[in-house]
Each structure stands twice: as C-alpha cells, then as structure tokens.
C-alpha cells in the first residue's frame, strides 16, 4: 500500500477511508433506488436502467496525486481526489439524465459542489456524459462526515462508447493512432445522433399513447 497516513487528518487509516466512501456509495444507491421506485409509482416509468458503483484503487489514486503534483498521503487523497467513490447511472434517454440530476439536487442532505456537462460540451475526444460532484453525510457512531462522491449520468449508447474509449486508452496507453482517434470521434457523433433520434421516437410514442387515452 503506497498511500501514507497523514498525521494531521482525523481519518487516519486507509481502512477507515474506504469505510467512509463505501458507506457514501451505499447511501446514494439506496436514495437512487427509492427515487426510481417513486418515479415508477407516479409516472409508470423508470428513468434509471441500472447503477454501477466503484471505489478507486489505491494505485489509481496515487497515480492521480502524482499527476497533480501532490505527495501520496491520506490528507491529499481526501482533499484533492474527488472521484474516489464513483457512481455511474445509466438511463435510456438524454432527457432522463437531467431528470435524474434534478432529483439528486433536490435531496436536502446532498450538497452539489459542481457540475460538468459533457453532453452540451463534449470533450475533444468525443466523450459525452453528465458529471455531478457532490458530498453526502455519512453517519458514524460519534460523528457525521461529509463524503465526496462523483456521479456520472449517461445513456446506454454513451456508456457503450465510453467503454470502448477506455479500452483504447488502456491498449495504447493514451497514444492511439490518429485513424482510431478519428473513428472514435465519428462514433461519438453517431451516438449523439442516435440518442436524439431515439428521444424523438419515444416522445412521439408517448404522444400517441396520451391521445389514445384521451379518446
């Protein structure tokens, strides 16, 4: 284990840090499942297809700290790495992304630190997703700890593209050939077009259902 213990931080072990972040993920997953169930009850529709949770490995954390120029301590890990606990929410349509983000924001005990909308403003690589950086209170026996969680919300198509991009980055260690990079960007544009077409089609279907019910 390469992460060192910072003496001036009251969370003083890797095990305790993992306990906090794991607990934060459990709380967020429960919240999202309840919201999804409520949405089904009210609207007869589930905006969330599925949820993936992960804790960043110690090796990835150390690598990120070094890249930012920080020493590998518990203090720096908690202060400067915002995605140790990560939730990925997969949904069907782009409109669902913003519904889910609004539901999360409206939770009184969740504090949204900042948002990065890579759907409206895709990365140069073609990456599209909606990122929320939040804190959620973890209730321990003797204290409450506001714990960071990064939430990524994306469509099934966006997630498929991101999975392929990750494989390419890993395979070529960040130095993929230009023709592969260009093809990946083209795929991203196709994914965006597909998401828009699917949303339009879904809206048309819902409109027809509403008209049928009225008649």
């Amino acid at each position: 284990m390469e992460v060192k213990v910072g003496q001036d931080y009251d969370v003083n072990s890797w095990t305790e840090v993992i306990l906090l972040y794991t607990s934060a993920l459990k709380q967020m997953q429960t919240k999202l499942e309840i919201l999804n169930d409520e949405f089904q009850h009210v609207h007869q529709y589930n905006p969330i297809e599925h949820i993936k949770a992960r804790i960043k490995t110690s090796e990835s954390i150390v690598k990120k700290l070094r890249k930012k120029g920080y020493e590998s301590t518990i203090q720096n890990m908690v202060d400067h790495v915002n995605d140790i606990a990560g939730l990925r929410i997969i949904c069907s349509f782009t409109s669902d992304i913003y519904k889910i983000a609004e539901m999360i924001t409206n939770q009184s005990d969740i504090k949204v630190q900042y948002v990065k909308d890579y759907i409206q403003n895709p990365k140069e690589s073609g990456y599209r997703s909606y990122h929320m950086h939040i804190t959620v209170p973890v209730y321990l026996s003797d204290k409450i700890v506001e714990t960071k969680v990064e939430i990524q919300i994306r469509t099934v198509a966006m997630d498929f593209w991101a999975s392929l991009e990750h494989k390419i980055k890993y395979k070529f260690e960040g130095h993929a050939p230009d023709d592969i990079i260009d093809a990946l960007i083209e795929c991203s544009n196709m994914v965006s077009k597909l998401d828009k077409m699917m949303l339009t089609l879904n809206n048309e279907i819902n409109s027809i259902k509403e008209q049928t019910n009225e008649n």
Side-chain angles (χ1 to χ4, degrees):
M1 178 60 202
E2 197 170 349
V3 176
K4 303 171 188 174
V5 175
Q7 297 300 317
D8 57 345
Y9 192 67
D10 53 2
V11 177
N12 57 16
S13 74
W14 172 255
T15 303
E16 191 173 350
V17 167
I18 293 304
L19 169 66
L20 283 174
Y21 286 110
T22 302
S23 299
L25 286 180
K26 286 179 180 178
Q27 285 188 209
M28 284 306 305
Q29 282 184 285
T30 300
K31 282 177 176 292
L32 289 164
E33 287 166 5
I34 291 170
L35 289 170
N36 206 35
D37 289 345
E38 186 218 5
F39 209 88
Q40 171 66 39
H41 175 70
V42 175
H43 303 285
Q44 291 73 56
Y45 171 68
N46 292 116
I48 299 174
E49 291 283 342
H50 57 273
I51 303 168
K52 300 176 184 176
R54 67 103 183 96
I55 298 290
K56 210 172 187 69
T57 64
S58 58
E59 291 78 13
S60 295
I61 294 169
V62 168
K63 185 176 179 181
K64 194 159 194 174
L65 285 172
R66 284 177 176 169
K67 188 176 180 181
K68 291 184 174 185
Y70 295 109
E71 185 184 354
S72 302
T73 65
I74 294 291
Q75 179 73 53
N76 285 337
M77 180 179 76
V78 173
D79 289 347
H80 302 295
V81 182
N82 296 323
D83 61 345
I84 294 173
L87 276 179
R88 187 174 301 151
I89 304 170
I90 312 301
C91 52
S92 296
F93 307 104
T94 50
S95 57
D96 293 334
I97 293 172
Y98 296 100
K99 286 176 188 172
I100 295 164
E102 183 180 10
M103 288 192 292
I104 293 170
T105 301
N106 288 339
Q107 294 287 296
S108 61
D109 59 344
I110 292 177
K111 298 176 183 176
V112 179
Q113 304 301 312
Y114 61 95
V115 166
K116 291 184 178 180
D117 189 342
Y118 295 117
I119 300 169
Q120 299 296 327
N121 302 288
K123 289 186 179 181
E124 189 176 344
S125 65
Y127 176 85
R128 300 170 194 267
S129 186
Y130 189 90
H131 290 198
M132 300 179 73
H133 292 261
I134 68 161
T135 60
V136 60
V138 173
Y139 296 85
L140 301 177
S141 60
D142 61 344
K143 59 187 172 182
I144 301 171
V145 183
E146 293 288 341
T147 307
K148 298 177 184 176
V149 178
E150 183 195 56
I151 301 173
Q152 300 176 357
I153 316 173
R154 58 179 69 151
T155 64
V156 174
M158 290 175 193
D159 192 53
F160 180 38
W161 183 94
S163 177
L164 179 59
E165 184 203 31
H166 180 76
K167 290 176 183 176
I168 290 171
K169 278 185 176 180
Y170 181 79
K171 178 73 175 179
F172 295 100
E173 297 181 346
H175 302 287
D178 289 343
D179 60 329
I180 291 181
I181 292 173
D182 292 341
L184 197 60
I185 293 172
E186 184 179 351
C187 286
S188 172
N189 294 331
M190 292 168 66
V191 163
S192 179
K193 184 177 180 181
L194 175 63
D195 274 335
K196 289 175 183 176
M197 292 175 66
M198 294 290 281
L199 177 59
T200 299
L201 181 60
N202 185 63
N203 289 341
E204 288 178 4
I205 292 169
N206 288 336
S207 178
I208 292 170
K209 285 173 63 178
E210 287 175 5
Q211 290 175 11
T212 302
N213 291 336
E214 287 175 1
N215 295 333

